[in-house]
Amino acid sequence: MSTPFFHPGAESPDGVLHRIFGFRSFRPNQEQIVRALMDGRDVFAVMPTGGGKSLCYQLPAVLMPGVALVVSPLISLMKDQVDGARSNGIRAAVLNSSLEFAEQSAVLRSLQSGELDLLYVAPERFALDHFRDILRGCRISMAVIDEAHCISEWGHDFRPDYLALSSIPEILPGIPVAAFTATATERVQHDIAWKLRLRDPFVLRASFDRPNLTYEVRFKEPGEVQLVSILKEFAGQPGIIYRTSRKSVNDTAAMLQKRGFRALPYHAGLDDRERHDNQDAFIRDEVDLIVATVAFGMGIDKSNVRFVIHADLPKSIESYYQETGRAGRDGEAARCILLFSQADIPKVRFFIDAMTDEAERQRALDSLSKVVSFASSTACRRRTLLDYFGETYPRDNCASCDVCLGLHELTDCTREAQMLLSAIVRTDSRFGAAHLIDILVGSKNQKIKDFGHDRLKVYGIGKEHDKKFWRRLIDDLLARKAIGRSEGLYPMLYLIESGARILRGEERVELVRIREKKGKSATTKRGGLDALSDAEKQLFEQLRTLRKRLADEQGVPPYVVFSDKTLVELSILKPSTRDEMLTVSGIGEVKLERYAEPFLRVIGEFVGG
């Protein structure tokens, strides 16, 4: 096996970037990683989801002699990336347990005969002596570890199978090893480098900022109305809704189906076939919405997800960042909405309290605390996220989060807070939120009468506000630690010192409320589809229909044919020749040869009609 090299007389990286991938220039950081690998250096790169990570190793894999091994954690992700690479004319294959024995044998023969540029493999392969022996006899250009945080027990998604990858430098000495991850704290970064035995790696920590994403936190309202109202803002665009439990996934998906939305559930409790079919339907644009637990997403390469909704609290900032990162991978504008209520915290605590490992339990509590702080804060969401990953946001206003867009307003609610705190005191801190709210709004239910609470001075004193307002105020007082909530099946509210100061008039309470939005959501950035005229949108829909038909014929997801970004450019530029079409981002020579005729025909008919 030879040491990898790049022959000076070979095609340049810029030439391959244009010819194969259809891009005129590298995205930030891509070129440095490409050149480091072609110089034979190990690489450690932290790049956000949607940052163009796959090009960093696919491009040098084309230029360097031998086969690039890409270790990927999920079967569906491998297949999609192989489909994408092949659509650009790259010789790529996948080797995992989804293949029949004959198919695996054929892939191994292609590997041994040097007929591949890229081979995607599952991490558990490296624990097999037979596979290691085969690799030792092949010309391997580099080894790429995708989702590298999975090798670290300090990471948020540790996978024991990844530990076998520490043997790569021993099996394949002298080749560059590249570790890629979308999220890694400094501690996880050092752990990855140590376990993979990276040798003086080129280290790149790209900015964690995803400028095309808009972040928004809304107070979570009970029932179906809020979620349905949000989804109507997106009118058939693809999106992901995350829920905590399998039951809530099933219930939400069923509710949306009844209301006419094209939605499917996804969680680990579904059988393999249904889970695969539902994911496939989403990837292939056959449904608009996937309602899922966190089991969904790591293997998704769908580039045109326009929104991600967290209908329950995420378990950590890392999880939130990675899950929201599945929106807008094509670089077009996308939105991330978190529905937050303090009432969700005990649900998360229930699972944390069940942990037997004290250190693990403490880490989970710390992660939960940071998520709650993020959701409760009125500081710029982007700044808070970047600060978590050790990055300083350079501007005072990001102009793309609910806080910076001015969607919040502060209202003095000191008087209402004193009403609530007085109700807690007058009922001896023996009741929960629902009963206290019933007292304040003057409910006539039997429980109120049985306890004689209809005779309290505070009974009905807050009826000018609805129950939703009082629930929000309780959440706010819990967040500012003015009141506490007892543990157990029937948690009771009680005052703590800050609450006592509010009751005495020594502290004010200002409640953050969402301003009424008029017309189209103020949080939607203009760009992509929103930037198209009505006529251009008509053409875009015709091109999208054509893309879906071609993708179905080839058995690949639509975005493998062309991304939404490419369709938007085609709709605006309306090329009439192959040369003009080649100037559109995302169209290289192979895709031009494959798709020019049908797309130019549809564009020509639209312009001529």
Side-chain angles (χ1 to χ4, degrees):
M1 183 185 65
S2 305
T3 301
F5 67 96
F6 171 59
H7 194 279
E11 187 177 7
S12 71
D14 295 290
V16 171
L17 181 71
H18 187 195
R19 180 174 64 82
I20 290 184
F21 297 95
F23 301 131
R24 274 68 197 156
S25 60
F26 287 100
R27 290 197 206 176
N29 308 305
Q30 287 180 327
E31 187 172 9
Q32 298 98 303
I33 294 173
V34 166
R35 294 196 180 278
L37 287 169
M38 289 170 48
D39 286 342
R41 284 195 68 181
D42 286 355
V43 167
F44 178 87
V46 182
M47 299 179 73
T49 303
K53 170 177 56 176
S54 60
L55 183 140
C56 293
Y57 54 80
Q58 288 187 1
L59 192 154
V62 172
L63 287 168
M64 295 166 66
V67 183
L69 292 176
V70 183
V71 180
S72 187
L74 292 179
I75 290 172
S76 58
L77 180 63
M78 293 186 214
K79 182 182 183 305
D80 289 350
Q81 291 191 330
V82 167
D83 286 340
R86 286 176 174 171
S87 74
N88 284 321
I90 300 172
R91 302 177 303 168
V94 62
L95 185 63
N96 58 40
S97 58
S98 71
L99 303 182
E100 299 291 338
F101 179 76
E103 294 174 308
Q104 293 190 32
S105 298
V107 170
L108 289 172
R109 284 195 298 273
S110 296
L111 168 65
Q112 290 171 299
S113 59
E115 296 170 9
L116 296 174
D117 300 311
L118 278 168
L119 177 62
Y120 286 80
V121 296
E124 57 267 21
R125 290 270 157 185
F126 287 86
L128 304 176
D129 290 337
H130 174 65
F131 183 64
R132 295 181 185 209
D133 290 340
I134 289 175
L135 290 182
R136 289 187 178 99
C138 298
R139 186 169 197 178
I140 306 298
S141 60
M142 72 182 93
V144 177
I145 319 300
D146 202 4
E147 309 291 351
H149 58 270
C150 293
I151 202 171
S152 173
E153 292 172 67
W154 301 107
H156 63 278
D157 196 20
F158 170 62
R159 298 188 175 211
D161 287 339
Y162 263 63
L163 294 176
L165 304 181
S166 61
S167 63
I168 287 177
E170 173 194 332
I171 303 167
L172 303 168
I175 70 162
V177 177
F180 289 91
T181 177
T183 58
T185 61
E186 292 289 342
R187 183 181 199 178
V188 171
Q189 174 180 326
H190 291 132
D191 199 32
I192 293 168
W194 178 72
K195 283 181 173 156
L196 290 176
R197 294 188 249 170
L198 300 183
R199 298 144 296 192
D200 185 30
F202 170 72
V203 176
L204 185 140
R205 290 186 67 88
S207 172
F208 280 82
D209 188 20
R210 294 285 306 280
N212 62 313
L213 300 187
T214 298
Y215 300 99
E216 183 179 354
V217 179
R218 299 189 189 183
F219 177 69
K220 182 176 177 179
E221 299 171 12
E224 305 170 356
V225 176
Q226 182 183 32
L227 182 59
V228 170
S229 175
I230 292 171
L231 292 176
K232 285 179 179 176
E233 297 178 32
F234 295 99
Q237 297 180 59
I240 303 170
I241 302 167
Y242 282 107
R243 302 299 313 254
T244 299
S245 70
R246 298 175 185 181
K247 182 179 185 303
S248 58
V249 165
N250 290 336
D251 291 348
T252 302
M255 178 273 290
L256 293 175
Q257 289 166 1
K258 282 183 184 176
R259 288 177 172 261
F261 292 95
R262 299 197 307 165
L264 288 173
Y266 185 101
H267 56 73
L270 301 176
D271 67 63
D272 289 347
R273 172 48 55 189
E274 184 177 4
R275 196 163 62 244
H276 173 271
D277 288 349
N278 289 1
Q279 176 172 295
D280 209 43
F282 180 63
I283 288 173
R284 295 177 185 275
D285 290 349
E286 289 161 10
V287 297
D288 303 316
L289 306 172
I290 201 84
V291 186
T293 61
V294 294
F296 178 84
M298 194 174 184
I300 298 305
D301 207 24
K302 185 177 173 69
S303 63
N304 64 333
V305 174
R306 297 272 65 88
F307 64 95
V308 170
I309 297 172
H310 281 86
D312 296 309
L313 269 181
K315 64 180 181 180
S316 67
I317 294 292
E318 287 102 326
S319 298
Y320 174 75
Y321 180 83
Q322 193 156 37
E323 287 150 17
T324 55
R326 282 153 198 155
R329 294 179 64 140
D330 54 7
E332 297 293 289
R335 290 170 60 194
C336 309
I337 300 172
L338 168 60
L339 304 181
F340 171 65
S341 168
Q342 289 277 341
D344 283 344
I345 297 174
K347 300 174 189 175
V348 181
R349 280 293 305 263
F350 175 80
F351 293 104
I352 293 175
D353 290 342
M355 295 177 177
T356 54
D357 186 307
E358 182 57 33
E360 181 186 5
R361 182 175 175 276
Q362 197 54 52
R363 282 197 297 270
L365 284 171
D366 183 55
S367 294
L368 173 61
S369 173
K370 287 181 170 64
V371 170
V372 171
S373 176
F374 169 79
S376 306
S377 171
T378 54
C380 169
R381 310 288 179 199
R382 190 176 305 278
R383 181 187 295 277
T384 304
L385 281 176
L386 295 181
D387 182 65
Y388 178 86
F389 292 107
E391 183 178 344
T392 301
Y393 189 66
R395 293 193 288 277
D396 292 332
N397 189 310
C398 78
S400 54
C401 79
D402 54 339
V403 175
C404 293
L405 285 166
L407 300 182
H408 294 162
E409 60 183 355
L410 290 176
T411 304
D412 190 334
C413 293
T414 306
R415 175 173 162 270
E416 288 85 350
Q418 288 171 333
M419 293 177 187
L420 174 65
L421 297 170
S422 179
I424 293 173
V425 171
R426 290 174 187 275
T427 55
D428 299 320
S429 304
R430 293 175 50 231
F431 294 89
H435 185 75
L436 291 165
I437 291 171
D438 281 345
I439 293 172
L440 292 166
V441 300
S443 172
K444 294 181 169 38
N445 68 39
Q446 191 60 45
K447 186 179 176 184
I448 294 284
K449 293 177 181 177
D450 289 346
F451 282 103
H453 290 163
D454 53 343
R455 298 191 297 274
L456 293 174
K457 275 187 70 174
V458 290
Y459 177 74
I461 198 174
K463 60 186 175 185
E464 65 191 86
H465 298 292
D466 60 16
K467 290 188 176 184
K468 187 166 70 174
F469 167 83
W470 290 109
R471 176 69 64 176
R472 179 77 197 278
L473 182 58
I474 288 171
D475 270 8
D476 189 78
L477 293 174
L478 284 165
R480 67 171 68 222
K481 295 184 168 49
I483 57 176
R485 181 193 279 122
S486 65
E487 302 289 339
L489 191 58
Y490 302 104
M492 298 173 289
L493 300 182
Y494 57 89
L495 262 66
I496 44 187
E497 181 53 37
S498 175
R501 289 196 295 272
I502 293 168
L503 195 55
R504 293 194 298 265
E506 296 168 5
E507 284 186 14
R508 288 180 64 206
V509 175
E510 290 184 320
L511 189 63
V512 176
R513 304 171 94 172
I514 295 177
R515 294 182 191 273
E516 290 297 318
K517 291 179 286 201
K518 297 190 168 42
K520 188 149 185 167
S521 171
T523 61
T524 303
K525 291 186 170 185
R526 287 202 54 80
L529 289 174
D530 286 331
L532 298 180
S533 67
D534 289 343
E536 288 165 347
K537 285 178 181 175
Q538 290 178 28
L539 176 55
F540 177 88
E541 289 303 323
Q542 291 184 24
L543 296 178
R544 187 160 72 164
T545 300
L546 171 62
R547 177 181 69 175
K548 180 74 168 74
R549 178 172 64 77
L550 294 172
D552 288 347
E553 288 172 1
Q554 296 168 28
V556 298
Y559 60 81
V560 167
V561 176
F562 286 137
S563 69
D564 276 12
K565 185 174 185 178
T566 299
L567 294 192
V568 166
E569 283 197 30
L570 288 171
S571 302
I572 294 171
L573 298 175
K574 303 178 186 64
S576 59
T577 67
R578 293 166 68 93
D579 283 346
E580 288 177 359
M581 193 169 175
L582 197 57
T583 66
V584 173
S585 177
I587 302 180
E589 290 181 2
V590 172
K591 287 191 175 183
L592 182 74
E593 190 61 36
R594 191 173 292 167
Y595 303 123
E597 184 181 337
F599 277 89
L600 287 174
R601 184 167 58 249
V602 168
I603 293 169
E605 290 171 356
F606 181 85
V607 173

